[in-house]
Amino acid sequence: TVAPLAAAPADDGQWLMPAKNYAATRYSAMNEITPANARNLREVFSFSLGVDKGQEAAPLVIGSTMVVVSAFPNHVFALDLAREGAPLKWQYDPKPVPAAAGVACCDVVNRGAAYADGKVVFNTLDGATIALDLATGKEVWRTQLGDIMKGESITMAPLIAGGKVLVGDSGGEFGVHGWLTALDLGTGKIAWRAYHTGPDDQALIGPQFHPFYAGDRGQNLGVKTWPSDAWRIGGGTMWGWIAYDPGTQTIFYGTGNPGPWNAQARPGDNKWTSGMFARDVNTGQARWFYQFTPHDEHDYDGINEQILLDMPFAGKMRPVIVRPERNGYFYVLDRRTGQVLSADPFGPVNSSSGVDLRTGRLMVNPAKETKLGQVVRDICPTASGAKDWNPSSFSPRTGLVYIPHENLCMDWMNLEVNYISGTPYVGAEVKMKPGPGGNRGALTAWDPVRRRPAWELPEDLPVWSGTVVTGGDLVFYGTMDGWFKAVDARTGALAWKTKLPSGIIGQPISYRGPDGHQYIAILSGVGGWAGGIVSGPLDPRDGSSALGFVQAMTDLPNRTTAGGTLHVFALAH
Amino acid sequence: TVAPLAAAPADDGQWLMPAKNYAATRYSAMNEITPANARNLREVFSFSLGVDKGQEAAPLVIGSTMVVVSAFPNHVFALDLAREGAPLKWQYDPKPVPAAAGVACCDVVNRGAAYADGKVVFNTLDGATIALDLATGKEVWRTQLGDIMKGESITMAPLIAGGKVLVGDSGGEFGVHGWLTALDLGTGKIAWRAYHTGPDDQALIGPQFHPFYAGDRGQNLGVKTWPSDAWRIGGGTMWGWIAYDPGTQTIFYGTGNPGPWNAQARPGDNKWTSGMFARDVNTGQARWFYQFTPHDEHDYDGINEQILLDMPFAGKMRPVIVRPERNGYFYVLDRRTGQVLSADPFGPVNSSSGVDLRTGRLMVNPAKETKLGQVVRDICPTASGAKDWNPSSFSPRTGLVYIPHENLCMDWMNLEVNYISGTPYVGAEVKMKPGPGGNRGALTAWDPVRRRPAWELPEDLPVWSGTVVTGGDLVFYGTMDGWFKAVDARTGALAWKTKLPSGIIGQPISYRGPDGHQYIAILSGVGGWAGGIVSGPLDPRDGSSALGFVQAMTDLPNRTTAGGTLHVFALAH
Ligand SMILES: O=C(O)c1cc(C(=O)O)c2c(n1)C(=O)C(=O)c1cc(C(=O)O)[nH]c1-2
Ligand SMILES: O=C(O)c1cc(C(=O)O)c2c(n1)C(=O)C(=O)c1cc(C(=O)O)[nH]c1-2
């Protein structure tokens, strides 16, 4: 059987970090709501976030307090679950610099806060990390990490592990020098920063670094795998997910795409972009690295979620990382070494033909390599990937990973591009379209042992929300036109759905309320990269706007409206 | 027994105008939902309006289409009730001039559309009336009526009666020359316009004019009751409600306050402000006028709802108008003549001591008359009235009028003021505070025959939503902190409540869905004058901002957030 790393402790009914636990299972053991009774779900309260932009955050539940962060301007609200109608306990306005909105590539989103030690910690689009006192909402510390003048913003949810707050930057489309930074949870002081391109000392690569594959060994590869100095503006941001193994005090996370998108401007493997690091949480020193997409030509950021499992492989239990990667493969990696145990496509892929398990290297399809001034057609997956940032969940009861994802292909033409600090640095014209079958999205229940889907639900629109799976064997997810759905975790059969005011790109959670009952919470509020055509404003007549996404989504403005609301559901009782 | 004017026809389950019918009863005969089963109400769908400002509109239901108008920028949405989740049929963006927001006194609200003859008609804040084809959402005609450069805006819902679209302007706090305009429903051409100050020919006062009281008789009183030329900038707008008697082809409506607020700048009765007109719908010619508040000193606009009833009075049935007026009295007027049959306070009033039924004149309390440079304290009701625009409902089953209202008092100081076209013209500093008892609002079930409340529910916050009453004997209303409530129409006992994402200042409706079941709809989205502190932005530290309302509402930002969502409820079935 497949089990989450022990780091997923017994469920106390709270939700303290977006991924629920360090193993990042997004599994809630609560089992009051089941496929048999889900039709009795009803909304028990809702709360307006006061901003109609893409709402990607996971609400947190700490004791009887719910905490939620809005899209920019990143207001934080604490609601009292112990009182009728969950009234506000406090709210906090970080007053971020308005110009920050100008350096967000993909809507002014925020993926949520994290809680530890009496503190709610979150990031602002304009590059600050802020800790608030849970009881009062007062600022405990605030540390400025990013510089919007250089194109740096922050959209990710921090992870708090080993007394550190881990924060990465955004700006892969602005020529930033991507990093992950650790702050001291108590003081907000910077403990270490690891850059994702450049010399080894900046990348925190030293004696502890033992990558599995030969191609990742050698000195200063973060410089040598780039044309001279290109690494300085080479992206490799970190705006997604981090998992943590407390036993070995190791964090696992992936890095963003190399910039610019025009890959002909940066021959070489472009390390350490579009790959995964294991690092010592205390020092930041790298333990290993694996590159999903060397010399990425298609914006295949490597920042997706990783789930830490203990899983049988070739007859023995192995400590693994499973990861539905943007380039289209479901990877199973050995957590100790970064060795690829398997890599299977979970959606249509033609930009590569698989992973060479001997070298670990992605086998690129020359026919889909991008070209200057020439449109290469029907590349699958798109720049946004077979799946984007929106996270999967894993149920120890079913052994399945519930992957919310997309099915899109694209036409791509490289363009000359010059770097100007703080402005877009892309160099490509892209147009996206529905992939094979015409359904632009799907929810796939992936069996990591059998290496194939147990079941799959096609969706007309890209599935841009996360999933949560429960002890009642329900998977919750949302659609971009506003349906919030519960499906049977074993069969995919629809158990319940309700129509929310705006499209859903948030992360559902499940928690135990002060009354002992199970609750489900989700934000509505369409946006993000895929929904920018609604939360924009963008011109739907320009198919290449929103970095090419608009073309695939021209019907969305006829199907949903911008919004921003927290919704909480429970069984009628 | 009390019955609505025959103009309230048998209920077909639709909702074609905000007041439901020409008698303006806001009574839905549907009786599936009752005090006994209301606890099974649950939200069936919701829809984001995409703008987080005060949402005051009543949704309309025409066949299986629901139509709703958002706050500025006044987007119109048509939803298909016959399809699962009520998807969008069409949406229409009038692209109003952004500067219009600068001449709205009390948030950028809109009170809804009206339907007739295949057309959805609504007004934009920047002063246009627009007819859309219900089937397609295409513009049929658009007529510019107001001029924002003069401070004219439009927030009211039009009434369609006798083939005319009736529209009034806003801008009483900007020195406008208030009017009601009739447009031809087919073409949008202006049929007539009646001004509410100035010479008789502009006021459409002619041979048919027979006011009941002597004080309203004489030539050009709209000029003579003002200092020279002050009538030209004297307000008397019309941003509220109109009722209609098809039998006599008469419309009934009231006029706004005289400007400026500093009444010492305009000695005289200031006709025809703060009073009520009966007019021939075809020609606009006045039939009678009654002035609730001559020489208004307290911003007692006369634009509230009037309900047309046939009611016993002194032993005989009389055709009446009942009207909970801003100055604090519940008036019963003879519909044929404008005679005041009774006027009883429905909340605390000290600015006057009653109505002299012989002369019809309000008996002003000299101690609460306003003074230049001197603060007069504890005037009740406030400038916003014992009730503001948000409309009451009437049930023929209970004979009661369900009045959503306020309980506030104020301190007032007159200030010198100069008129500059298109800018605020107020001349007073006002600070509001809770009235006697401390509850800032109430829902009162008023018995118009016995001239007293049947029951009353205090509310902590001003009740700024409308009410609807149903054949199932439920009254629905909302609170400014987001509770949507159903109470027993006979007793006031709470039957159900639910917490919506933002405070409620909208107008609830009840309709029959395509499946034959009863539905209840309401907008959430706090704002309006009372909620400007949330939908603002206004500075909560300046109690006199929002024309003095902020002082009474400093707790609101801790209790709700700005929003804008349509909600639809039905019994679980
Ligand atoms: O390279 C970057 O720094 C960066 C940042 C972000 C972001 O911060 O939201 C996205 C992306 N890239 C990106 O490639 C992408 O697909 C994406 C989708 C979204 C979203 O919120 O829907 N953000 C981002
Ligand atoms: O005199 C006017 O022209 C005028 C306009 C409006 C409006 O258009 O909303 C209001 C008022 N006055 C007013 O006095 C008032 O109390 C008020 C409340 C509201 C609201 O929407 O909550 N509007 C208005």
Side-chain angles (χ1 to χ4, degrees), chain A residues 222-240:
Chain A
V223 173
K224 291 180 191 157
T225 59
W226 294 86
S228 62
D229 277 350
W231 60 269
R232 294 184 189 274
I233 53 172
T237 54
M238 200 336 241
W239 50 276

Side-chain angles (χ1 to χ4, degrees), chain A residues 41-52 77 84-88 91 483 497-502 557-567, chain B residues 41-52 77 84-88 91 483 497-502 557-567:
Chain A
L41 279 168
R42 58 150 189 17
E43 188 156 348
V44 289
F45 74 86
S46 54
F47 178 83
S48 175
L49 302 173
V51 43
D52 294 344
F77 303 97
E84 198 182 36
L88 268 169
Q91 54 190 300
W483 286 104
K497 65 175 176 175
T498 190
K499 186 79 177 287
L500 298 186
S502 173
N558 302 323
R559 297 176 61 172
T560 193
T561 43
T565 310
L566 162 72
H567 306 268
Chain B
L41 279 168
R42 57 152 190 16
E43 187 156 349
V44 291
F45 73 87
S46 55
F47 178 83
S48 174
L49 302 173
V51 45
D52 294 344
F77 302 98
E84 197 181 38
L88 269 169
Q91 55 189 303
W483 287 103
K497 65 175 177 175
T498 190
K499 186 79 177 289
L500 299 186
S502 173
N558 302 324
R559 297 176 60 173
T560 192
T561 42
T565 308
L566 163 73
H567 306 269

Side-chain angles (χ1 to χ4, degrees), chain A residues 456-486:
Chain A
E456 182 163 281
L457 296 178
E459 285 282 356
D460 179 23
L461 295 165
V463 182
W464 213 261
S465 85
T467 66
V468 66
V469 59
T470 69
D473 289 340
L474 286 169
V475 181
F476 291 86
Y477 72 107
T479 67
M480 291 188 73
D481 59 352
W483 286 104
F484 187 46
K485 300 186 179 182

